[in-house]
Amino acid sequence: MNQVLLIFLPVLFALFVPLLYKTFSRIHTGWFVLLVPLTLAIYYARFIPNITEGPYTSTFYWVKSLDLSVTSYLDGLSLLFSLLITIIGSLVVLYSIFYLDRKKEQLHNFYFYLLMFMTAMLGVVQSDHLISLYLFWELTSISSFLLIGYWYNRDRSRFGALKSMMITVFGGLMMLGGFLLLAQAGGSYSIRELIANGSVIADSPYFIWMIVLILLGAFTKSAQFPFYIWLPDAMEAPTPVSAYLHSATMVKAGIYLVARLTPLFAVSEYWIWLVVLSGLITLFWGSFFSVKQTDLKGILAFSTVSQLGMIMAMLGAAGIAFHVESPQKTIFAFAAYAAIFHLVNHATFKGSLFMVAGIVDHETGTRDIRKLGGLMSLMPISFTIAAIGSLAMAGLPPFNGFLSKELFLTSMLSLKEFSLFNFSTWGPILPWVAFVASIFTFVYCLYFLYYTFMGKGNTSKLPKKPHEAPIGMLISPIILASLVVAIFFIPNVIGKYFIKPAVLAMQPQLYETIDDIPIHVQAWHGWTTELQMTIGIVVIGFLLFITLKKWQPIYRFVSEKWSLNGLYNRLMRFADVDSQKLSNLYMTGSMRHYLMYMFAFMVVAVISTLFMSNGFNYSTANTAEVGIFEIATLIVMIIGTLTVLIARTRLTAIIALGAVGYSVALFFIIFNAPDLALTQLVIETVSVALFLLAFYHLPKMSRHEERMPFKINNFLIALGVGVMVTLVALSAQSQKLLPSISQYYKDTVYTKAGGGNIVNVILVDYRGFDTLFEITVLAIAGMAILGMIKLRRPKKEKKTHETK
Amino acid sequence: METLMVCLIGIFVVVATYLLLSKNLIRIILGTALLSHAVHLLILTIGEVKKGDVPLLKETPGPYTDALPQALILTAIVISFAVTAFLLVLAYRVYATNKTDNVEKLRGDEYE
């Protein structure tokens, strides 16, 4: 219970944030908010030493009858993520205290959204129940939407917020579909139970669908190719948000999902191929296009995309561990270790880099790399942090990025050894892709560092006079940068307490305890292929960077129109403008057209149903015989009807309709319905009078009345409706399944109801309610008519028009 | 007899639908009136038109025709009359307000 409550602690605290903001307006609200992630971080840190002794679960039932609960499930993997969220959360809140101005910004909104996001993210990584995982997942989308659009009076912010919302919610919905299929196949919503039940799920015919749908969710959230396009536009958010959401936490929700479900889905080759390929493509694509960017945060956004792809590729390789026997097993278990290790490293160096970008923006007034340069001597601390972060990202010693990059190359090289699932054919290409992508990674790291801090640069032209940031703003990036260096020297401590428990949670079938994971990371591991590749990366990358000005123009050939952003824009335009045009085509505003659609649809639906279900039936077995009166009346009625149709004047039409009405009354007499005949006669008389009244008052301008013009479309539709009614009536008439219930009325009308006129007794006694409401209808019609005639709103517009 | 009646009803429906699709308000109301005639006759036909006596106990010896469809039709006649009267006055008011009885011209604004 405690554990579940702690998930909700941030959002509960958020309820008090507006109050704190209003009451203590002299103190920056961030100081209060800082308590929350710190408390949580300390609480979660207590689990570290004994996390391998088993998962800590706690359940809160939400709707028990539907088996809906919020279950907090803490094992190595979710603990690692929870710690990332709370620790980086604390640092980001601390940074934001100095980044956001107390007087100019609406801090209560900012911290409310941020705390909401924190709850959502903790919920995602700790949830064991699929539905609550989905709910927290969507809450991260919503709070991210709010945070990106924080400066809502800027167009770019709103555009970025909407774009990220559209893409991540699309993925979220797909994922929900996958979850429902999964729960259906496994018979449970609990991820633990589903994993235990894995073999049943793998036999499900919807197995592929689950994989594709759930991966769509993970790929959209983690900005994988081709869904990465929302991330660069999300850089319109305040920098603390970019550092927190869009580098360290939210974009790793997809990574978390893939890691969490690996034991379930890694038995499928589709899963492995999809994850590995999308990861490698994203890695290459992101690093290649990062060099094109001119905005500091743009470079970092593409680099995040690229690094996420790298982690994803390693997770895919980790899935292979379920298919091989030792000793190869160790090689692929290696990939899982490498993925988690790089995830931690990325969170540290990317967080610090974003904070540095924010500092540069804050102190110089611009983030445009073409205007920046030569800040090294003015901002030495920021430069040091940026250098540590960039070189770690590039994969150089003595920083943590070097270690995880080596592990990455090892796991990619080992893909060659794997023979199942066509890996022997395509596998050798994969390390080369990784190699090329790493070269570009190296190039953009230097690009970022050099053009911001080194070089000549004209510092006098900058919007603000640059100087070193206040110490408060530097604390968080300094802590992160020192972690970057520290992890390089103590990788195995981190490995023992953080990475191995997470690997154990990710590949539970393979190991009993963490001591079974035979990995010991060393900075110097001999003269291996990986090291040779790293040297190659550095050399080629350096050459490419020196010649950057010569080959950078190739990016101009990549047309904006044919890019993925162009595709997204066209899709949005289609959903908005083009669909409007499409609906304007048929929503003409003309009642005639709508009637035509309705009639045509009705005819097609009814006639096709009638014949497809063999409903049509015709027999004359049970019919009455035809008499001379009937024929005569029939002929009169047909003539009357046709006269209504072809009448030149409306008067003729009205009188012809009257004739039809009286003939109907005649029919009622012939068919022995005296009450009907009486009513019909009276009502027809009144109706004709009313028609004449209306005719008298109506169109004066069309005195020269003309015959109704013949329209073939209208006629065809009318004919169709007539045929439909005739067919349905004939087949209904020809197959009466049950005898009428009228015998009862005949038997009891006198004995029970005390009347002789069966029709009248039915109307007022057996079925008196019909009559009551029929009277009501008449009364309402009368009142409505009175209202229409008496109540009129004066036409103000026209009067003012006339006085003019 | 029923077959003939059904054919007649079919003709009624064709004409009524054709009138409903016209541009003139009065013609549309004529169409609804004709359509209600068609429906009344249809109820009668589907019920029972086999010759029987008028459903008045004590007055006629029987066997009687089915009285239930007659009761239903009686209700329907009154309701369709109420609706027709309402529509006619509505048409009159439409003309008084908009000076036209052409439905094609009565589209209203898009944001009205």
Side-chain angles (χ1 to χ4, degrees):
Chain A
M1 191 64 213
N2 273 341
Q3 256 169 263
V4 177
L5 260 183
L6 283 173
I7 293 180
F8 290 99
L9 180 72
V11 82
L12 290 176
F13 185 82
L15 295 177
F16 297 100
V17 164
L19 192 74
L20 291 169
Y21 175 70
K22 295 258 157 70
T23 321
F24 304 97
S25 53
R26 292 164 147 268
I27 308 167
H28 197 287
T29 318
W31 290 113
F32 301 108
V33 175
L34 185 58
L35 291 174
V36 179
L38 264 184
T39 317
L40 287 175
I42 293 166
Y43 178 83
Y44 289 125
R46 284 194 1 229
F47 285 100
I48 296 171
N50 41 14
I51 187 64
T52 49
E53 284 166 23
Y56 296 86
T57 56
S58 132
T59 302
F60 166 72
Y61 279 103
W62 172 32
V63 184
K64 201 160 188 175
S65 55
L66 294 177
D67 190 27
L68 289 181
S69 63
V70 181
T71 301
S72 162
Y73 176 79
L74 265 184
D75 61 0
L77 192 62
S78 32
L79 181 69
L80 177 78
F81 272 92
S82 303
L83 281 168
L84 272 183
I85 292 159
T86 49
I87 293 174
I88 298 198
S90 316
L91 296 175
V92 161
V93 171
L94 183 66
Y95 175 76
S96 72
I97 291 172
F98 297 91
Y99 186 84
L100 295 172
D101 195 293
R102 173 164 58 85
K103 286 168 192 150
K104 288 181 201 153
E105 302 286 351
Q106 306 213 302
L107 294 173
H108 52 310
N109 289 350
F110 179 81
Y111 287 113
F112 194 104
Y113 302 153
L114 199 73
L115 287 169
M116 192 162 105
F117 170 78
M118 209 176 279
T119 285
M121 205 57 215
L122 285 173
V124 166
V125 300
Q126 293 184 14
S127 278
D128 183 53
H129 193 280
L130 286 177
I131 300 296
S132 60
L133 171 58
Y134 169 73
L135 287 178
F136 285 120
W137 185 277
E138 291 299 34
L139 193 60
T140 63
S141 297
I142 291 166
S143 44
S144 160
F145 168 78
L146 290 168
L147 284 166
I148 298 168
Y150 173 66
W151 287 310
Y152 51 79
N153 39 13
R154 299 184 189 169
D155 273 348
R156 300 280 318 155
S157 292
R158 292 200 305 270
F159 175 76
L162 193 63
K163 192 172 183 179
S164 75
M165 182 80 160
M166 293 300 280
I167 294 175
T168 51
V169 168
F170 160 76
L173 282 174
M174 295 296 119
M175 189 187 80
L176 178 64
F179 279 178
L180 293 179
L181 284 177
L182 182 59
Q184 198 71 28
S188 166
Y189 281 109
S190 160
I191 296 173
R192 271 173 302 164
E193 289 168 27
L194 287 169
I195 289 173
N197 213 3
S199 55
V200 179
I201 294 163
D203 292 336
S204 161
Y206 301 112
F207 194 54
I208 305 293
W209 282 105
M210 293 174 208
I211 289 177
V212 170
L213 289 174
I214 291 177
L215 279 184
L216 266 179
F219 288 172
T220 48
K221 200 70 160 182
S222 282
Q224 297 294 296
F225 184 87
F227 305 111
Y228 70 88
I229 50 172
W230 64 267
L231 189 62
D233 281 306
M235 291 300 128
E236 295 301 318
T239 304
V241 173
S242 309
Y244 188 38
L245 272 69
H246 305 131
S247 73
T249 52
M250 187 178 91
V251 288
K252 287 179 180 147
I255 304 267
Y256 166 79
L257 192 72
V258 171
R260 176 56 82 199
L261 297 179
T262 291
L264 197 57
F265 288 125
V267 293
S268 162
E269 57 174 309
Y270 297 101
W271 171 272
I272 291 168
W273 265 113
L274 276 173
V275 176
V276 169
L277 272 188
S278 95
L280 277 177
I281 294 171
T282 314
L283 166 66
F284 173 73
W285 195 272
S287 62
F288 183 66
F289 281 98
S290 187
V291 192
K292 183 194 174 192
Q293 307 303 315
T294 52
D295 175 46
L296 283 186
K297 282 171 85 178
I299 301 173
L300 292 178
F302 273 92
S303 98
T304 304
V305 169
S306 154
Q307 304 276 320
L308 290 170
M310 177 170 159
I311 300 173
M312 204 58 104
M314 288 190 271
L315 284 179
I320 296 176
F322 292 92
H323 295 277
V324 288
E325 290 303 314
S326 314
Q328 274 179 313
K329 202 183 238 177
T330 54
I331 299 173
F332 293 105
F334 206 70
Y337 188 92
I340 306 286
F341 190 44
H342 191 68
L343 181 113
V344 175
N345 295 344
H346 178 251
T348 55
F349 63 67
K350 192 53 65 66
S352 68
L353 283 176
F354 265 110
M355 289 175 186
V356 168
I359 289 171
V360 170
D361 185 16
H362 210 263
E363 304 306 327
T364 65
T366 182
R367 294 194 317 240
D368 194 324
I369 205 156
R370 289 166 297 191
K371 295 180 188 157
L372 293 166
L375 293 174
M376 186 161 69
S377 51
L378 293 166
M379 303 167 76
I381 306 176
S382 312
F383 166 70
T384 315
I385 299 164
I388 293 172
S390 309
L391 297 177
M393 187 154 74
L396 292 184
F399 307 111
N400 59 7
F402 172 72
L403 302 174
S404 45
K405 173 87 76 177
E406 296 294 290
L407 295 177
F408 168 64
L409 292 175
T410 312
S411 54
M412 284 302 117
L413 284 170
S414 61
L415 282 180
K416 281 193 302 188
E417 328 266 313
F418 186 58
S419 52
L420 277 171
F421 312 150
N422 294 327
F423 263 95
S424 49
T425 328
W426 301 104
I429 303 172
L430 304 180
W432 282 105
V433 178
F435 180 67
V436 175
S438 302
I439 292 172
F440 278 105
T441 306
F442 189 83
V443 174
Y444 74 67
C445 290
L446 284 189
Y447 175 69
F448 175 82
L449 192 63
Y450 186 84
Y451 285 100
T452 312
F453 292 100
M454 295 189 248
K456 287 189 283 271
N458 198 343
T459 46
S460 57
K461 273 189 184 171
L462 291 169
K464 286 184 189 171
K465 185 145 178 52
H467 55 81
E468 188 57 87
I471 183 67
M473 218 172 191
L474 289 167
I475 296 174
S476 303
I478 286 174
I479 294 175
L480 286 172
S482 11
L483 275 175
V484 169
V485 183
I487 292 176
F488 177 79
F489 290 106
I490 50 158
N492 293 310
V493 178
I494 300 285
K496 185 181 171 204
Y497 288 109
F498 297 96
I499 318 291
K500 283 185 183 177
V503 173
L504 191 65
M506 202 181 134
Q507 300 176 320
Q509 289 99 323
L510 303 183
Y511 315 105
E512 293 290 318
T513 63
I514 56 164
D515 299 327
D516 296 348
I517 304 173
I519 296 166
H520 190 76
V521 183
Q522 285 168 307
W524 172 255
H525 42 79
W527 187 249
T528 52
T529 327
E530 294 90 310
L531 198 63
Q532 291 160 8
M533 280 173 90
T534 305
I535 292 169
I537 288 166
V538 172
V539 171
I540 300 176
F542 199 70
L543 288 175
L544 273 179
F545 176 70
I546 292 170
T547 55
L548 184 66
K549 291 280 179 235
K550 283 182 188 136
W551 58 270
Q552 213 176 16
I554 60 158
Y555 288 111
R556 283 194 218 127
F557 294 115
V558 187
S559 160
E560 184 64 25
K561 200 180 168 190
W562 292 102
S563 66
L564 286 165
N565 280 319
L567 189 72
Y568 170 83
N569 290 336
R570 247 178 301 161
L571 256 175
M572 287 297 115
R573 204 166 52 239
F574 176 75
D576 186 12
V577 182
D578 292 350
S579 62
Q580 173 87 45
K581 277 184 202 155
L582 203 69
S583 55
N584 281 348
L585 278 183
Y586 62 90
M587 299 299 286
T588 52
S590 156
M591 195 176 79
R592 270 185 57 230
H593 290 153
Y594 302 155
L595 279 176
M596 281 163 88
Y597 305 146
M598 283 192 256
F599 282 133
F601 181 78
M602 216 158 73
V603 168
V604 171
V606 170
I607 292 186
S608 58
T609 314
L610 196 64
F611 283 100
M612 279 196 308
S613 56
N614 277 330
F616 185 70
N617 207 319
Y618 178 63
S619 84
T620 49
N622 212 18
T623 50
E625 45 192 85
V626 186
I628 183 80
F629 285 125
E630 286 93 323
I631 296 288
T633 324
L634 218 71
I635 290 168
V636 170
M637 276 161 97
I638 291 174
I639 293 172
T641 326
L642 294 178
T643 314
V644 173
L645 197 62
I646 58 172
R648 186 175 282 275
T649 67
R650 263 172 237 167
L651 191 58
T652 320
I654 291 168
I655 290 169
L657 186 75
V660 172
Y662 287 127
S663 313
V664 171
L666 215 57
F667 249 134
F668 289 151
I669 293 172
I670 293 169
F671 291 137
N672 287 333
D675 299 291
L676 286 186
L678 279 174
T679 320
Q680 178 69 30
L681 280 173
V682 174
I683 277 185
E684 198 56 41
T685 312
V686 180
S687 297
V688 169
L690 267 170
F691 267 109
L692 288 175
L693 197 71
F695 167 75
Y696 181 75
H697 283 286
L698 275 164
K700 292 199 173 59
M701 52 186 183
S702 51
R703 276 285 170 193
H704 49 287
E705 285 173 298
E706 51 192 32
R707 191 168 288 162
M708 212 164 108
F710 181 75
K711 285 196 179 120
I712 186 76
N713 287 348
N714 291 2
F715 178 71
L716 284 178
I717 288 176
L719 196 67
V721 176
V723 170
M724 171 191 88
V725 171
T726 312
L727 290 178
V728 172
L730 277 181
S731 37
Q733 214 283 320
S734 304
Q735 39 192 347
K736 285 179 186 157
L737 301 175
L738 294 167
S740 168
I741 55 165
S742 292
Q743 194 56 44
Y744 171 77
Y745 295 139
K746 286 168 196 165
D747 294 342
T748 59
V749 66
Y750 195 74
T751 52
K752 293 209 168 147
N757 186 331
I758 306 179
V759 175
N760 286 5
V761 172
I762 290 177
L763 281 175
V764 297
D765 194 325
Y766 293 115
R767 302 175 59 88
F769 271 121
D770 288 359
T771 313
L772 177 64
F773 292 108
E774 158 199 343
I775 292 166
T776 318
V777 168
L778 211 57
I780 290 172
M783 283 189 285
I785 288 168
L786 192 70
M788 270 197 296
I789 293 172
K790 289 273 177 195
L791 306 175
R792 280 174 208 183
R793 239 196 331 214
K795 285 183 185 167
K796 284 173 195 163
E797 282 174 63
K798 289 214 168 158
K799 272 182 185 168
T800 52
H801 204 72
E802 279 164 13
T803 48
K804 269 178 192 172
Chain B
M1 189 64 226
E2 274 88 344
T3 313
L4 279 180
M5 290 289 289
V6 168
C7 292
L8 176 72
I9 290 160
I11 294 171
F12 270 29
V13 171
V14 173
V15 175
T17 314
Y18 192 74
L19 286 170
L20 282 176
L21 291 173
S22 77
K23 287 179 190 167
N24 185 294
L25 265 181
I26 283 285
R27 286 212 175 95
I28 291 173
I29 301 171
L30 285 172
T32 58
L34 203 55
L35 198 61
S36 58
H37 283 319
V39 172
H40 301 157
L41 286 180
L42 184 61
I43 299 175
L44 197 70
T45 313
I46 299 285
E48 205 171 55
V49 292
K50 256 189 207 169
K51 287 284 167 107
D53 273 330
V54 176
L56 289 174
L57 223 65
K58 309 288 179 192
E59 304 282 327
T60 47
Y64 306 105
T65 51
D66 197 342
L68 189 58
Q70 297 190 11
L72 296 181
I73 294 166
L74 201 59
T75 312
I77 288 175
V78 175
I79 290 174
S80 64
F81 166 69
V83 174
T84 308
F86 176 80
L87 282 179
L88 275 169
V89 178
L90 186 67
Y92 163 70
R93 288 291 303 136
V94 166
Y95 180 68
T97 316
N98 297 311
K99 299 291 170 213
T100 179
D101 65 339
N102 187 339
V103 277
E104 292 291 294
K105 289 181 186 159
L106 293 171
R107 293 191 192 201
D109 294 336
E110 197 167 326
Y111 299 103
E112 216 168 32

